[in-house]
Amino acid sequence: MDPVATPYFFYGLSAVAVLSAVGVIMRRNPVHSAIALIFTLLSLAGLYLMLYAPFVAGVQIILYVGGIVVLFLFVIMLINIERMQREYQFNKQWLVGLLAAAALGALFVAVYVKGQSIFPQHAVRFPEQLNTQQVGKMLYVDYLLPFEIASLLLLVAIVGAVVMAKKRI
Amino acid sequence: MEITTLHYLVVASALFIIGTIGVLTRRNVIIILMSIELILNAVNLNLVAFSRLYGLQGQVFSIFVITDAAAEAAVGLGILIAFFRNKETINADEIDLLKF
């Protein structure tokens, strides 16, 4: 089925994503930042759906919004943010930071404008209903070793987080 | 008007730059970790946008990136809790135990 009104959805979702990303780094209260991060992640999941990647969109919502942001909110609950909010929120290198970010942005624009001609012009149409199946097949057949390494990485992260957060070992 | 890959790349680079500004200028370590998540999401959007053109490898790799982000957030927040227990602050400027 062909999608309808693609530009409107694209510009709406992109505007929500970028504006809430600005909210993430500008807010004084970390809880507000976490809520803005949720909006960014959800609109990115919408963009993944527009790119015919429903499995990645589902993983994004379940893992990021349901897992990582909730972890952030728990940690914000554990620490005392009352004192933090009365202090300066930005460090003294903000000018250098802005200059570095502007240089990076100019580099991106240059690369994208120059490199646009080497992209294939027409997108491949994958069958939508097979996306999850194909991703799973590729994950378990072609990328089995990276998959196992990722499980090892998660094990190390669990042990590391417990050791770090424990009062005494 | 058709939405091309370049549109997605522009959105991803905007997110990447916003995340970079957050990492470089904020003092709150929690916000710095959230900015790192923004950067990883920008990379994911690039990968998925290119997977539309070249095949499904980009989507598989973006799942690995999400796994990495989860591991990084867990360990980073664990370090943050340990630091807050010792010094009662989470300002990045005051994490200077190794500096003299």
Side-chain angles (χ1 to χ4, degrees):
Chain A
M1 191 177 88
D2 275 331
V4 290
T6 324
Y8 298 105
F9 277 108
F10 174 78
Y11 286 118
L13 289 171
S14 314
V16 172
V18 172
L19 289 178
S20 1
V22 171
V24 170
I25 67 165
M26 296 304 283
R27 296 299 300 190
R28 185 170 281 269
N29 191 337
V31 179
H32 296 175
S33 293
I35 303 295
L37 187 63
I38 288 178
F39 278 104
T40 303
L41 298 173
L42 286 180
S43 50
L44 277 176
L47 287 179
Y48 295 157
L49 281 182
M50 288 180 59
L51 285 165
Y52 296 95
F55 183 67
V56 182
V59 167
Q60 168 98 354
I61 291 176
I62 294 171
L63 246 171
Y64 257 113
V65 183
I68 298 178
V69 178
V70 172
L71 191 66
F72 273 109
L73 285 172
F74 266 112
V75 172
I76 293 170
M77 243 168 29
L78 283 177
I79 61 177
N80 179 17
I81 58 174
E82 296 292 319
R83 195 169 70 86
M84 298 283 310
Q85 290 185 31
R86 278 183 264 113
E87 294 175 338
Y88 287 115
Q89 298 293 313
F90 294 94
N91 59 20
K92 295 190 185 65
Q93 286 95 31
W94 60 271
L95 191 61
V96 184
L98 287 184
L99 282 178
L104 193 64
L107 189 69
F108 277 141
V109 169
V111 168
Y112 289 160
V113 170
K114 278 184 84 71
Q116 194 186 5
S117 55
I118 63 168
F119 298 160
Q121 282 307 311
H122 292 290
V124 193
R125 291 299 293 265
F126 302 110
E128 298 166 48
Q129 67 272 24
L130 292 180
N131 176 273
T132 307
Q133 201 178 349
Q134 283 171 335
V135 170
K137 211 172 177 179
M138 198 169 265
L139 206 56
Y140 281 108
V141 176
D142 297 334
Y143 293 89
L144 189 61
L145 185 64
F147 187 76
E148 296 295 333
I149 294 174
S151 71
L152 193 66
L153 176 80
L154 283 178
L155 177 69
V156 171
I158 293 169
V159 175
V162 169
V163 168
M164 284 294 173
K166 210 164 148 55
K167 253 199 184 72
R168 66 183 53 180
I169 300 158
Chain B
M1 198 183 105
E2 203 192 354
I3 300 296
T4 58
T5 308
L6 193 69
H7 290 76
Y8 290 99
L9 297 188
V10 169
V11 176
S13 63
L15 285 178
F16 194 99
I17 290 162
I18 291 169
T20 314
I21 294 174
V23 169
L24 288 176
T25 60
R26 286 300 294 247
R27 296 175 77 210
N28 192 332
V29 178
I30 293 180
I31 310 280
I32 291 178
L33 286 174
M34 286 184 197
S35 306
I36 294 174
E37 301 294 333
L38 280 181
I39 292 175
L40 289 171
N41 269 291
V43 174
N44 265 348
L45 185 56
N46 262 0
L47 286 171
V48 177
F50 277 118
S51 91
R52 183 87 195 284
L53 297 180
Y54 291 104
L56 283 175
Q57 291 91 354
Q59 296 184 21
V60 175
F61 202 80
S62 75
I63 290 169
F64 286 130
V65 172
I66 291 176
T67 314
D68 265 5
E72 171 256 327
V75 175
L77 293 171
I79 292 174
L80 187 66
I81 289 178
F83 183 76
F84 182 76
R85 191 179 296 129
N86 286 326
K87 290 199 66 164
E88 294 288 321
T89 179
I90 51 166
N91 266 347
D93 294 352
E94 296 176 40
I95 306 179
D96 52 3
L97 288 172
L98 286 176
K99 211 157 78 174
F100 68 106

Coordinates of all heavy atoms in Angstrom, one line a residue, chain A residues 22-55:
Chain A
V22 N 16.2 19.9 21.1 CA 16.6 21.1 21.7 C 16.1 21.2 23.1 O 16.9 21.7 24.0 CB 16.1 22.3 20.8 CG1 16.3 23.6 21.5 CG2 16.7 22.3 19.5
G23 N 14.9 20.8 23.4 CA 14.4 20.8 24.8 C 15.2 19.9 25.7 O 15.4 20.3 26.8
V24 N 15.7 18.8 25.2 CA 16.5 17.9 26.0 C 17.7 18.7 26.5 O 18.1 18.6 27.7 CB 17.0 16.7 25.2 CG1 18.0 15.9 26.0 CG2 15.8 15.8 24.9
I25 N 18.4 19.4 25.7 CA 19.7 20.1 26.1 C 19.4 21.4 26.7 O 20.4 22.0 27.3 CB 20.7 20.1 25.0 CG1 20.2 21.1 23.9 CG2 21.0 18.8 24.4 CD1 21.4 21.5 23.0
M26 N 18.2 22.0 26.6 CA 18.0 23.4 27.2 C 17.3 23.4 28.5 O 17.4 24.4 29.2 CB 17.2 24.2 26.2 CG 17.9 24.5 24.9 SD 19.6 25.2 25.0 CE 19.1 26.9 25.4
R27 N 16.6 22.4 28.9 CA 15.8 22.4 30.1 C 16.7 22.4 31.4 O 17.7 21.8 31.4 CB 14.8 21.3 30.2 CG 13.8 21.3 29.1 CD 12.9 22.5 29.1 NE 12.2 22.6 30.3 CZ 11.2 23.5 30.5 NH1 10.9 24.3 29.6 NH2 10.6 23.6 31.7
R28 N 16.2 23.1 32.4 CA 16.9 23.1 33.7 C 16.6 21.9 34.5 O 17.5 21.3 35.2 CB 16.4 24.4 34.4 CG 17.1 24.7 35.7 CD 16.7 26.0 36.1 NE 17.4 27.1 35.4 CZ 18.6 27.6 35.9 NH1 19.1 27.2 37.0 NH2 19.2 28.5 35.2
N29 N 15.4 21.4 34.4 CA 15.0 20.2 35.2 C 15.3 18.9 34.4 O 14.8 18.8 33.3 CB 13.5 20.3 35.5 CG 13.1 19.3 36.5 OD1 13.7 18.3 36.7 ND2 12.0 19.6 37.2
P30 N 16.1 18.0 34.9 CA 16.4 16.7 34.2 C 15.1 15.9 33.8 O 15.1 15.2 32.8 CB 17.3 16.0 35.1 CG 17.8 17.0 36.0 CD 16.8 18.0 36.2
V31 N 14.1 16.0 34.7 CA 12.9 15.3 34.4 C 12.2 15.8 33.1 O 11.8 15.0 32.2 CB 11.9 15.3 35.6 CG1 10.6 14.6 35.2 CG2 12.5 14.8 36.8
H32 N 12.2 17.1 32.9 CA 11.7 17.7 31.7 C 12.5 17.2 30.5 O 12.0 16.9 29.4 CB 11.7 19.2 31.7 CG 10.8 19.7 32.8 ND1 10.7 21.1 33.1 CD2 9.9 19.1 33.6 CE1 9.8 21.3 34.1 NE2 9.4 20.1 34.4
S33 N 13.8 17.1 30.7 CA 14.7 16.6 29.6 C 14.3 15.2 29.2 O 14.3 14.9 28.0 CB 16.2 16.7 30.0 OG 16.6 18.0 30.2
A34 N 14.1 14.4 30.2 CA 13.8 13.0 30.0 C 12.4 12.9 29.2 O 12.3 12.1 28.2 CB 13.7 12.2 31.3
I35 N 11.5 13.7 29.6 CA 10.2 13.7 28.8 C 10.4 14.2 27.4 O 9.9 13.6 26.4 CB 9.2 14.6 29.6 CG1 9.0 14.2 31.0 CG2 7.8 14.6 28.8 CD1 8.4 12.8 31.2
A36 N 11.2 15.2 27.2 CA 11.5 15.7 25.8 C 12.2 14.6 25.0 O 11.9 14.4 23.8 CB 12.3 16.9 25.9
L37 N 13.1 13.8 25.7 CA 13.8 12.7 25.0 C 12.8 11.6 24.6 O 12.9 11.1 23.5 CB 14.8 12.1 26.0 CG 15.8 11.1 25.4 CD1 16.6 11.6 24.3 CD2 16.6 10.5 26.5
I38 N 11.8 11.4 25.4 CA 10.7 10.4 25.0 C 10.1 10.9 23.7 O 9.9 10.1 22.8 CB 9.7 10.3 26.1 CG1 10.3 9.5 27.3 CG2 8.5 9.5 25.6 CD1 9.3 9.3 28.4
F39 N 9.8 12.2 23.6 CA 9.1 12.7 22.4 C 10.0 12.5 21.2 O 9.6 12.1 20.1 CB 8.7 14.1 22.5 CG 7.4 14.3 23.3 CD1 7.3 14.7 24.6 CD2 6.2 14.0 22.6 CE1 6.2 14.8 25.3 CE2 5.0 14.1 23.3 CZ 5.0 14.5 24.6
T40 N 11.3 12.9 21.4 CA 12.3 12.7 20.2 C 12.3 11.2 19.8 O 12.2 10.9 18.6 CB 13.7 13.1 20.7 OG1 13.6 14.4 21.1 CG2 14.6 13.0 19.6
L41 N 12.4 10.3 20.8 CA 12.5 8.9 20.4 C 11.2 8.4 19.7 O 11.3 7.6 18.7 CB 12.8 8.0 21.7 CG 14.1 8.4 22.4 CD1 14.2 7.6 23.7 CD2 15.2 8.1 21.5
L42 N 10.0 8.8 20.2 CA 8.8 8.4 19.5 C 8.7 8.9 18.1 O 8.3 8.2 17.2 CB 7.6 8.8 20.4 CG 7.4 8.0 21.7 CD1 6.2 8.6 22.4 CD2 7.2 6.6 21.4
S43 N 9.1 10.2 17.9 CA 9.0 10.7 16.5 C 10.0 10.0 15.6 O 9.7 9.8 14.4 CB 9.1 12.2 16.5 OG 10.2 12.6 17.2
L44 N 11.2 9.6 16.2 CA 12.1 8.9 15.4 C 11.6 7.5 15.0 O 11.8 7.0 13.9 CB 13.4 8.7 16.1 CG 14.4 9.9 16.0 CD1 15.6 9.7 16.9 CD2 14.8 10.1 14.6
A45 N 10.8 6.9 16.0 CA 10.2 5.6 15.6 C 9.2 5.8 14.5 O 9.1 5.0 13.6 CB 9.5 5.1 16.9
G46 N 8.5 7.0 14.5 CA 7.6 7.2 13.3 C 8.4 7.4 12.0 O 7.9 6.9 11.0
L47 N 9.5 8.0 12.1 CA 10.4 8.1 10.9 C 10.8 6.8 10.4 O 10.9 6.5 9.2 CB 11.6 9.0 11.1 CG 11.3 10.5 11.3 CD1 12.5 11.3 11.5 CD2 10.6 11.0 10.0
Y48 N 11.1 5.9 11.3 CA 11.5 4.5 10.9 C 10.4 3.8 10.2 O 10.6 3.1 9.3 CB 12.0 3.7 12.1 CG 13.2 4.1 12.8 CD1 13.5 3.8 14.2 CD2 14.1 4.9 12.2 CE1 14.6 4.2 14.8 CE2 15.3 5.3 12.8 CZ 15.5 5.0 14.1 OH 16.6 5.4 14.8
L49 N 9.2 4.0 10.7 CA 8.0 3.4 10.1 C 7.9 4.0 8.6 O 7.6 3.2 7.7 CB 6.7 3.7 10.8 CG 6.5 2.9 12.1 CD1 5.1 3.3 12.7 CD2 6.4 1.4 11.7
M50 N 8.2 5.3 8.5 CA 8.1 5.8 7.1 C 9.2 5.3 6.2 O 9.0 5.3 5.0 CB 8.2 7.3 7.2 CG 7.0 8.0 7.7 SD 7.2 9.8 7.7 CE 7.5 10.1 6.0
L51 N 10.3 4.8 6.8 CA 11.4 4.2 6.0 C 11.2 2.7 5.9 O 12.1 2.0 5.5 CB 12.7 4.5 6.7 CG 13.2 5.9 6.5 CD1 14.3 6.1 7.5 CD2 13.8 6.1 5.1
Y52 N 10.0 2.2 6.1 CA 9.7 0.7 6.0 C 10.6 -0.1 6.9 O 11.1 -1.1 6.4 CB 9.9 0.3 4.5 CG 8.9 0.9 3.6 CD1 9.2 2.1 2.9 CD2 7.6 0.4 3.4 CE1 8.4 2.7 2.1 CE2 6.7 1.0 2.6 CZ 7.1 2.2 1.9 OH 6.2 2.8 1.1
A53 N 10.7 0.3 8.1 CA 11.5 -0.5 9.1 C 10.7 -0.7 10.3 O 11.0 -0.2 11.4 CB 12.8 0.2 9.4
P54 N 9.6 -1.4 10.3 CA 8.7 -1.5 11.4 C 9.3 -2.3 12.6 O 9.0 -1.9 13.8 CB 7.5 -2.3 10.9 CG 8.0 -3.0 9.7 CD 9.0 -2.1 9.1
F55 N 10.2 -3.2 12.3 CA 10.9 -3.9 13.4 C 11.8 -3.0 14.2 O 11.7 -3.0 15.5 CB 11.7 -5.1 12.9 CG 12.3 -5.9 14.0 CD1 11.5 -6.7 14.8 CD2 13.7 -5.9 14.1 CE1 12.1 -7.4 15.8 CE2 14.2 -6.7 15.1 CZ 13.5 -7.4 16.0

